Each structure stands twice: as structure tokens, then as C-alpha cells.
């Protein structure tokens, strides 16, 4: 009986040891493969995120170009000589462009978003401030007054564009 137990143990102990070694080996290999898969997924996610961020920067670049006063005045023409209606139309156009791009703030830095919002606000401020000039009485004179202001200094959208370009450079 004792010999039978020893004989059984002589077969089972190596089997158990071999089984444990195989279990740990396959467990290790499985974890290694799983980590490799996770790394691949993470790398793909980063690539997709980079593409989405670049698209956001492209959209915001287009936004800055569209609210550049010289381009805004060409795109949004007065329907009559009423200066106040034209101011509303210009400001409304800037605000609509901005609202159309609100979701892009998810993909760009807070600092960049802040610069872009400031550029937008400065653009509408230029339009409103120019309209306050009492010598400007018609929509056409308002257009000319805004263009004169742009000749005197850079449009606010230039600051936003410069910031976007610098931030995109940092991505690469």
C-alpha cells in the first residue's frame, strides 16, 4: 500500500509541477499579448485623436479667416444704407460662425480657445466701435471705416491664426 502511494505520488507530483509551470507560462504569455494589443489600440486612438485635433485646428483657422474684417466685409454686404442693420448683420455673422465651431473647443487647448474667443470679441468690438463714430452715417461708410481701422493695425484674427500655427507646430 505504501509502495502504491509512492508510485501514485511519483506520477502526480511531476504532473502537478508541469501543470503549474504550463499555467504560469501561458498566463504570462496571455498577459504579454494582452498588453501588446492594448498598446496597439492606444497608439491607434492617439493617431485618431491627433487627426481630430488637426481637423479642429483647421476649422478654427477657417473661422479666423472668415471673421477677418476685410474678408467679412466682402462676404457680408449691406442690403441697404442702414448702418445699424449692417452692424447687426456683421456681428450676427461672426456669432453664427463662432457657434458653428463651438464643439471644436474639446480638441484644442484652453489657452488657444481663449485666444480665439478674444479675437472674435475684438472683431465684433471693432465693428461696434467704428459704428459709434458720429461721422459714419451709412453702411458703406461703416465698411470704409472698418477697412481704415484694419489698415492702421492688424486684425484680431491674425493673433488667433498665429496662436493656432504655434500650437500645431507643438503637436509635431
Amino acid at each position: 500500500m505504501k509502495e502504491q502511494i509512492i508510485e501514485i505520488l511519483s506520477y502526480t507530483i511531476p504532473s502537478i509541477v508541469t501543470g503549474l509551470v504550463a499555467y504560469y507560462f501561458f498566463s504570462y504569455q496571455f498577459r504579454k499579448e494582452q498588453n501588446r494589443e492594448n498598446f496597439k489600440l492606444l497608439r491607434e486612438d492617439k493617431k485618431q485623436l491627433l487627426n481630430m485635433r488637426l481637423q479642429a485646428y483647421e476649422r478654427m483657422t477657417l473661422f479666423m479667416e472668415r471673421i477677418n474684417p476685410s474678408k467679412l466685409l466682402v462676404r457680408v454686404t449691406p442690403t441697404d444704407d442702414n448702418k445699424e442693420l449692417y452692424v447687426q448683420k456683421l456681428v450676427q455673422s461672426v456669432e453664427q460662425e463662432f457657434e458653428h465651431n463651438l464643439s471644436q473647443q474639446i480638441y484644442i487647448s484652453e489657452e488657444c480657445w481663449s485666444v480665439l474667443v478674444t479675437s472674435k470679441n475684438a472683431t465684433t468690438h471693432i465693428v461696434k466701435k467704428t459704428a459709434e463714430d458720429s461721422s459714419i452715417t451709412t453702411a458703406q461708410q461703416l465698411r470704409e471705416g472698418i477697412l481704415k481701422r484694419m489698415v492702421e493695425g492688424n486684425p484680431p484674427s491674425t493673433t488667433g491664426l498665429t496662436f493656432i500655427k504655434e500650437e500645431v507646430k507643438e503637436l509635431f
Side-chain angles (χ1 to χ4, degrees):
M1 172 93 169
K2 194 174 183 184
E3 287 178 11
Q4 287 179 336
I5 292 177
I6 291 176
E7 189 176 328
I8 291 174
L9 286 177
S10 69
Y11 290 120
T12 55
I13 289 178
S15 299
I16 291 172
V17 170
T18 304
L20 287 174
V21 168
Y23 171 78
Y24 284 114
F25 174 75
F26 285 118
S27 176
Y28 171 75
Q29 286 297 102
F30 179 74
R31 280 194 308 270
K32 191 174 168 183
E33 189 62 34
Q34 203 170 24
N35 287 342
R36 188 176 297 135
E37 279 296 315
N38 287 342
F39 180 72
K40 283 181 186 177
L41 289 174
L42 184 62
R43 194 170 61 199
E44 273 189 38
D45 286 349
K46 280 189 175 185
K47 188 176 178 182
Q48 277 186 323
L49 183 60
L50 178 64
N51 287 338
M52 293 173 86
R53 289 187 75 194
L54 287 174
Q55 286 176 354
Y57 286 117
E58 288 171 2
R59 296 257 323 253
M60 295 316 292
T61 299
L62 183 60
F63 169 66
M64 286 290 110
E65 288 291 339
R66 288 179 64 85
I67 69 167
N68 180 322
S70 60
K71 294 176 183 163
L72 180 66
L73 294 173
V74 170
R75 199 177 71 256
V76 181
T77 56
T79 52
D80 59 20
D81 255 2
N82 189 324
K83 173 180 82 170
E84 286 77 24
L85 286 177
Y86 190 51
V87 168
Q88 288 176 353
K89 196 174 179 182
L90 289 171
V91 170
Q92 183 181 25
S93 178
V94 171
E95 291 298 329
Q96 284 175 343
E97 288 284 336
F98 180 70
E99 288 172 9
H100 183 70
N101 291 295
L102 272 174
S103 64
Q104 303 310 310
Q105 66 184 301
I106 295 170
Y107 303 107
I108 62 178
S109 71
E110 284 186 44
E111 187 179 9
C112 184
W113 183 254
S114 177
V115 169
L116 299 179
V117 169
T118 302
S119 296
K120 175 204 61 108
N121 291 339
T123 300
T124 57
H125 180 75
I126 288 170
V127 170
K128 291 176 181 178
K129 213 52 167 158
T130 306
E132 289 176 2
D133 185 345
S134 59
S135 66
I136 296 175
T137 57
T138 67
Q140 187 57 37
Q141 289 174 341
L142 177 63
R143 289 177 74 152
E144 292 168 6
I146 293 170
L147 287 174
K148 281 181 188 174
R149 282 188 113 150
M150 292 304 96
V151 169
E152 295 169 3
N154 284 335
S157 57
T158 303
T159 305
L161 284 171
T162 302
F163 200 89
I164 289 170
K165 289 175 185 177
E166 290 302 315
E167 199 156 289
V168 168
K169 281 181 189 176
E170 291 175 11
L171 292 175
F172 297 102

